[in-house]
Every structure is written in structure tokens, then in C-alpha cells.
Amino acid sequence: MRALLPYIKRFKSQGFMMFIGLFLSVTTLMAGIGLLSLSGWFLSATAVAGLTVLTAQTFNYFTPAGGVRFLSIVRTASRYGERLATHEATFSLLTDLRCWVWNKLLPLSAKNLQGVRQGDLLNRLVADIDTLDHLYLRLMTPLAASLLMMLALYFFVGHFDPELARTLCSVLLAVWLLLPTTFYFLGRKPGIAQLETKRQLRVQLLEYLQGQAELTLFGAQKAYRDRLNQAQSVMINSQNVMNRVTALSQACLILCHGFAVLLMLYLAATGVGTAVPPGPRLAMVVFLTMATIEMMMPLAGAFQHLSACSSAATRLNEVVEQAPSVTFANEQSVAVTAGNIAFKDIDFGYAKNQSVLSGLNLHIPSGQKVALLGQTGCGKSSLLSLLTREWLPTNGQITIDDHEVGDYTEQQLRQSMSVVSQRIYLFSGSLRDNLALAIEGATRKDDDKLIAVLQKVGLDSLLQGEKPLDTWLGEGGRQLSGGEQRRIGVARALLRDAPILLLDEPTEGLDKRTEREILRLLFEFAEGKTMLMISHRLTAMNKMDTIHLMDQGTIRTSGSHRQLLSSDDYYASLFERLA
């Protein structure tokens, strides 16, 4: 239950609309119960009045009939207004909740989200937040409304007979307390199992859809489909168990309500207040008790919604309650201009007992072009991740222009770097959308610049038709080849004028000729900038000011291309084999 407290506190933003919804909900219940009880009294009183001519002529038919019509109109109008108010409050709360969760998620680094699958994270952001709409709509409002109605019924029935009022409200209060509590504990495990199996099915389905190409190529579709079918069967079984518990709770509610009706019929039969025999008042009390089923019905499913909301809140709290492992300065500091980079005694590992970088020292003077070479897993890309502050070093210090990277705001740090990462991600949008994100405040006036850079990187084939920049790339750029996606990544870097240029395998997937052309563009663009390039290929190493060879998380040797050719046998053999 504690898991729900942070979300209940956020209800303050919609307090007025929530109060209106609760007020209209109570009004609807009052009108419904009043309508049925007044109708029961009216029918009985009319029947009694018709026994003699005198009573028939003196009986007032119009006022009760008008009351029935009035309550019918009030019930209809208040029910409509209650639906509008409660759903408006719910949707506004969900909007506020999504923004709040997203703002909590944005500062989290790769370390915070390490081990969280993308499908699971998506499930938390969508399904779990959607589940929390039950908290107000199907839990708080119906339960509070029924409790307030018990108080109203006590005073109304107590006006005629205090003993009947105490009996009726005691039975209703006992059901209100015991039924949800009992079935909450009975349905807690099935409820959690239902949500968990649904989550697992969604995650597996998302992975199945995303990996269609690989599954088809390797003939693994059937195995994954069998896993999906098994997960679906488990989910259906958990739903069946939960449905049986829900059905039992509804049966118990109907049984308790029937008991209350029989009890009130028995007690009221001997007289209602001073009326002995009770006459039409007996019908009023019995019909009133029958009408209470409307306010008690939400109790049958309350336990299920409570279990689901609590479980969803627990999963969301695992994300939103984390403190960001990577933080930035809050106040603007001196902007990066020169791009002088230094790594001092850097130790780093993705896990506690894992060492990727050990005591690494590296200095990249401003304006120089530096290459990092080494075997896969030696820590090259990890070094880049530390510089871009995706991860924090275990020990050591990283500075840019003699200021620690943590002293810059996130905006300042991002504006100081232009990055071509190892994996180029293309958004589901147009060609313009995927390029314009590299230009702050880009407009249609920048289209000429976008077209020019596409021509530079050799993507003239995409510039066909009347509006080439409106070409839809699809999710992940599925319509493009790997080489075309790589060139778009390079084009983004060329559109961003930053003092530091970071390249992680910028020509991966390109042929030799295209690789030389792209590197020529990048070197021209990097004139006067600080450039750090990670590569497995030795193309254009003669244009580098310094080349560092990494091995097991440290810099093994450094020098220019000529120096390494003459002094390092490994580099010389590598160059002879690859170049």
C-alpha cells in the first residue's frame, strides 16, 4: 500500500474536479436510492389508499409522482455529469502522471537502466500507468461515495426508526470493510500473477516483432512462436484463476445484500417507528435496502483494482525512485571553446568485479586529431561513453578545457560535441526530421543546408522527386541500407558545428572508396576542431596527429603513424594486413 502514496499525493493537482466527481457520484446514488424507495412507498400507499373511497379521494397522487420524475431527471443528469467529471479528472491525472514519470526517467543513465529490458520499460510507461487510473475512478470515488451514502442513509432511516437505521448501516459497513479486505488477500497472488504474465507476454511479443528478420533468417520463428503461445496460455490460466476469485466476491456481495434485505424485511414487519402495522413504510425500507446494491457493487471488484494498482505502482517506483547515477551542473559555467580533453587515472567497469579501464591516462590537445585503436573489448567505446557522460568512471578525472565534465550543464556538454556513434538510430519520420535534429531550432529555411550535406555524403539517390526531404524513412530507417544509415549519421555530425568531434567506427559498413570519401569530408570538417576517432580499420591513419594503441583497458603505446610503423611490430603488421 505504501507504493501508492506518491501517486495519491499527485491527486492534489486535480482536487477540485475530483471533489466534483465525488459530489455528483453521491448525488447519483442518492437519487437512485430515493427513486426506488419513493416508488415502493408510492405504490404501496396508492394500494392502501384505494381500499376505501374516502382515502382514495383524499390521497395526494401528484406530489409523489412529481418526486419520482424529479429524481429520475436528477439521477440521469448527475450520472452524466459524474462520468464527465471523473473521467476528466482521471485523464488529467494520467497526463500529469505520465509527465512526472517521464521527467523522472529522463535523467536516468545507462547504469540506472542496466538490466531493464526495453519491452519491460515500455510496459511500465504505458500499461502500468494506465492501470493506475483505477485508483481514482474505480477505487477512491466509489468507496468514498458508498461510505458517505451510509451516513446519509443512517440519518434518513433514523428519522423514521433509529434501530432500523443502526441495523442497516451496521450490515452495510461490515460488508464495506470485510469484503474488499478478505478478497484482497485471496486475490493478491492471482492478481499479481495476472499482471506479471501479461507483462511477460508483451515483452516477448515486442521482441518477437522486432527480431522478425533474424528469426526468419535463422529459422527460429517456430521456437519463439511456441514461447509466445506458452506465455499466452500461462496468462489465460492466471486470468481464469482471477475470474473465479472475482466471481466468488460478486456472489458473496449478492448473498450479503440478500441477507440485508431479508433482515430489514423481518425487522420492519413488526413496525417502522410509530407506524404499527408499518404499511407503506415497510415497502419504503425494503426497497431502500434493495437499492443499496448500486452503491455496494464496486466493492466486489475493489480488491482486484487495489491489487493491480499496488503492483503497477511498485514496478513504476523501481524506476522513478532511483537517484540518477550521472548528474550535471545546474548553473551555466564557461562554455567549451578549445576542446582540450584529458583523462587522468581512469578506472571503470560496468559491474563491481569487472574492469574495463584501469589507470588510463590520455591527453588530447585542442585542435588535434587522435585515433584510438585496439582489439574489441579493450575499452575504446567505453572511453567515449565516459567522455559523453553516459557513464561515470569508478575512479579518476575527466576534464574539458581544464574543467571537469561534471561542472558543465547537460546542454553545454551536448553543444560542445558532435558524435557519430557506432549505432545510428533513425526515427520513424521523414528524412528532414532525422537530419534537422542536429540543428537547434531548425526550420524549412534550412532545407538547402540539409540537401547540400546529403550530397556531400553521397546520398543523391535519396534526393529524388519534388519534395525529397519529405521522404518517409520508417521506423529505424528500414527502407535504407546499412551504409545509407551510416551516411545519415555522418551527415548529422556535419550539420553540427561543435568544437569536439567524436567518431566511433564512422565508416563501418562502407566500401573502401566511400570510406575514403567520407573520411576526407570528416577531416575537412574537423579542421580546427578536436577529433577523437575509434576505428578497427587503418584508413587515413597518416593524417592523424597521434595514434594510441589500447590493450586491456590501458594505453599500450602512442605515436604518429610513421613512428608506430617503425617502432611497433603489431601496428606495422596490422597496417600491412589491412591497409
Side-chain angles (χ1 to χ4, degrees), residues 430-487:
S430 66
L431 183 58
R432 177 188 291 103
D433 296 333
N434 278 278
L435 290 173
L437 59 87
I439 305 175
E440 188 173 354
T443 63
R444 295 264 176 173
K445 296 179 181 179
D446 297 304
D447 283 1
D448 292 340
K449 187 186 296 184
L450 302 183
I451 292 174
V453 78
L454 286 173
Q455 291 172 338
K456 281 185 178 180
V457 298
L459 288 175
D460 299 79
S461 59
L462 299 181
L463 299 174
Q464 306 296 327
E466 295 182 2
K467 298 179 179 179
L469 292 178
D470 292 331
T471 302
W472 193 260
L473 299 185
E475 186 176 358
R478 292 178 180 176
Q479 303 178 35
L480 304 178
S481 67
E484 287 173 329
Q485 294 180 22
R486 174 66 54 181
R487 294 187 201 194

Side-chain angles (χ1 to χ4, degrees), residues 456-531:
K456 281 185 178 180
V457 298
L459 288 175
D460 299 79
S461 59
L462 299 181
L463 299 174
Q464 306 296 327
E466 295 182 2
K467 298 179 179 179
L469 292 178
D470 292 331
T471 302
W472 193 260
L473 299 185
E475 186 176 358
R478 292 178 180 176
Q479 303 178 35
L480 304 178
S481 67
E484 287 173 329
Q485 294 180 22
R486 174 66 54 181
R487 294 187 201 194
I488 289 180
V490 174
R492 285 174 178 169
L494 297 178
L495 288 168
R496 191 176 183 85
D497 188 18
I500 299 174
L501 179 61
L502 304 176
L503 308 173
D504 191 356
E505 304 289 352
T507 58
E508 186 72 21
L510 301 179
D511 58 78
K512 289 287 185 181
R513 179 168 173 250
T514 307
E515 179 185 24
R516 287 193 294 268
E517 291 176 358
I518 294 298
L519 287 176
R520 178 181 57 80
L521 280 174
L522 289 172
F523 275 96
E524 289 177 1
F525 177 72
E527 193 65 35
K529 304 178 186 295
T530 303
M531 187 176 86

Side-chain angles (χ1 to χ4, degrees), residues 296-442:
M296 303 303 286
M297 278 303 294
L299 298 180
F303 77 93
Q304 182 178 356
H305 299 310
L306 181 60
S307 175
C309 289
S310 179
S311 181
T314 300
R315 284 196 300 272
L316 282 172
N317 287 339
E318 292 175 359
V319 176
V320 301
E321 289 184 351
Q322 290 190 61
S325 61
V326 177
T327 57
F328 297 85
N330 295 323
E331 298 180 359
Q332 296 282 339
S333 60
V334 180
V336 176
T337 54
N340 184 33
I341 303 171
F343 296 87
K344 302 175 182 177
D345 301 322
I346 298 298
D347 294 332
F348 174 70
Y350 293 101
K352 289 184 179 180
N353 299 324
Q354 180 188 26
S355 179
V356 177
L357 300 173
S358 179
L360 184 140
N361 288 281
L362 176 62
H363 178 228
I364 306 173
S366 60
Q368 285 206 359
K369 300 174 180 60
V370 174
L372 279 179
L373 304 179
Q375 295 180 349
T376 301
C378 67
K380 305 185 301 296
S381 296
S382 299
L383 198 65
L384 226 60
S385 298
L386 295 177
L387 181 59
T388 56
R389 210 163 171 76
E390 295 177 40
W391 292 83
L392 291 180
T394 308
N395 294 304
Q397 185 183 49
I398 304 173
T399 61
I400 301 177
D401 289 352
D402 299 324
H403 293 278
E404 286 196 34
V405 289
D407 293 338
Y408 294 102
T409 64
E410 186 172 9
Q411 183 181 10
Q412 285 178 318
L413 189 66
R414 303 294 175 234
Q415 288 177 343
S416 69
M417 300 175 182
S418 186
V419 183
V420 179
S421 57
Q422 200 168 14
R423 295 180 180 178
I424 304 298
Y425 185 82
L426 298 181
F427 294 90
S428 182
S430 66
L431 183 58
R432 177 188 291 103
D433 296 333
N434 278 278
L435 290 173
L437 59 87
I439 305 175
E440 188 173 354

Side-chain angles (χ1 to χ4, degrees), residues 18 68 73 127 143 179 192 251 261 284 310 395 408 500 535 537 540:
M18 291 174 64
V68 170
I73 295 172
L143 293 180
L179 194 67
I192 293 175
V261 172
M284 180 191 70
S310 179
N395 294 304
Y408 294 102
I500 299 174
S535 180
R537 300 160 77 166

